[in-house]
Amino acid sequence: MTLPANRLSHPAVRALVTALNHHDEQAFYDALTPDATMSDDGSDRDLREWCDREIFATRGHLEVRSESDGGLALVADYRNDTWGEMRTRWRFTVEDGKVSRFETGQA
């Protein structure tokens, strides 16, 4: 069973995942702090380059399986046109109502 993005507990995470799934780059970046950072499988990446390659250019989509830590940690099936589908984990840091960092990797 999946948890729809619009039912995620944390409003900042909900906004980010909803924008990701709608391929709405403007709303996605609006949900992030200007200096947001991210990592993939434990390695820091250039956020905009990674998001363009892994989300927007390849029609990324996140199906949330579970959430914990007040909605700041997700386990989800992530798919895009490059890698297909895989089980992933996501951890979010939120400051002033926006995501300031996210960490993702295979679960």
Side-chain angles (χ1 to χ4, degrees):
M1 188 163 108
T2 61
L3 184 60
N6 65 358
R7 300 199 37 139
L8 295 174
S9 299
H10 199 288
V13 173
R14 183 170 56 240
L16 191 74
V17 173
T18 298
L20 185 158
N21 284 346
H22 286 108
H23 307 116
D24 185 339
E25 288 185 59
Q26 184 66 50
F28 182 87
Y29 290 114
D30 286 349
L32 295 168
T33 62
D35 59 348
T37 61
M38 63 86 53
S39 71
D40 181 14
D41 284 327
S43 296
D44 279 3
R45 308 285 187 193
D46 178 280
L47 186 139
R48 286 197 178 256
E49 180 183 292
W50 187 91
C51 290
D52 182 55
R53 183 181 66 250
E54 300 292 337
I55 298 172
F56 300 113
T58 57
R59 299 184 316 138
H61 188 83
L62 199 63
E63 294 220 12
V64 178
R65 296 293 176 186
S66 65
E67 63 176 353
S68 58
D69 194 20
L72 294 175
L74 306 177
V75 172
D77 292 331
Y78 184 76
R79 70 177 182 271
N80 67 25
D81 291 345
T82 300
W83 305 109
E85 186 171 307
M86 67 185 79
R87 183 67 47 104
T88 56
R89 59 177 166 66
W90 298 74
R91 159 89 39 206
F92 301 90
T93 303
V94 175
E95 295 176 13
D96 299 324
K98 294 190 176 205
V99 174
S100 61
R101 179 170 177 80
F102 66 90
E103 299 170 2
T104 186
Q106 291 192 35

